[in-house]
Amino acid sequence: MSSAPPFLTRFLLRLRQWADAGWSNTVVLGWGLLQGCIFPGLADLFFLPLALARPERAYRLALVATAGTVIGSILLYWVGAEALSVLEGPLARFFNYSPEAFTEYRARLAEYGAWAILASTLSPLSTKLTSIASGAIGVPFAAFAAALLAGRLTRTLALAWLVRNGGAQAVARWTGASADNTRDRGSPPS
């Protein structure tokens, strides 16, 4: 007998059905891209439930989710880089920022900006804002991309490891849904 509400069991079974439908990679990549550059929300919204539904696919889904969010964040970096001329021009004059202040700020970001990117990818902080700011202020692209990739890979691969090493089994035990439940019973209950 499971301690989970019945709707969670039905939801997990539905996720397994969706994961078996063959489009989970596309959904995870698409959501990662959209979340990386447009929509607010958790980057792991589709990756984590689909990985829990089919833990044997967790690492592949982690890599796909990482690719989507990295592409989206790189797009925002370039948007921010294009906005730099506006920041240095009329906006800087409006707020009384001198060219020297921008040069000093850029030097600090060149030194420490990658750490800010890494922190934003590992935390619930918005990577979108950090990506735009990095491009706008002039964090070197190589440092930005390396920190972004390292942070996203660390996060998604750690979650995939948790799914594969007990997380999926704990969820299945809690909901009372065995790993082969959808194959044995056909479609999940409605």
Side-chain angles (χ1 to χ4, degrees), residues 1-6 9 172-177:
M1 178 128 198
S2 80
S3 61
T9 301
R173 273 194 311 274
W174 184 58
T175 60

Side-chain angles (χ1 to χ4, degrees), residues 13 25 28 49 62 64 67 76 106 116 121 123 128 142 154 169 177 183 189:
L13 294 173
N25 286 342
V28 169
V64 170
L76 285 182
R106 254 196 236 110
T121 61
S123 73
K128 284 181 275 315
T154 300
Q169 293 87 353
R183 290 186 185 121

Side-chain angles (χ1 to χ4, degrees), residues 35-38 68-83 87 109 113 116-118 120-121 125-141 144-145 147-149 152:
Q35 192 284 326
C37 66
I38 298 173
T69 56
V70 165
I71 292 167
S73 295
I74 286 173
L75 290 172
L76 285 182
Y77 174 91
W78 292 113
V79 166
E82 291 300 316
L87 286 175
L109 275 176
I117 298 297
L118 185 66
S120 76
T121 61
L125 298 174
S126 174
T127 304
K128 284 181 275 315
L129 296 176
T130 310
S131 298
I132 292 171
S134 297
I137 301 303
V139 172
F141 181 75
F144 168 80
L148 179 69
L149 186 60
R152 284 294 180 193

Side-chain angles (χ1 to χ4, degrees), residues 2-27:
S2 80
S3 61
F7 77 89
L8 283 179
T9 301
R10 288 191 306 269
F11 181 64
L12 181 62
L13 294 173
R14 178 69 66 190
L15 283 172
R16 287 183 181 154
Q17 187 180 40
W18 292 345
D20 291 340
W23 48 264
S24 55
N25 286 342
T26 304
V27 169

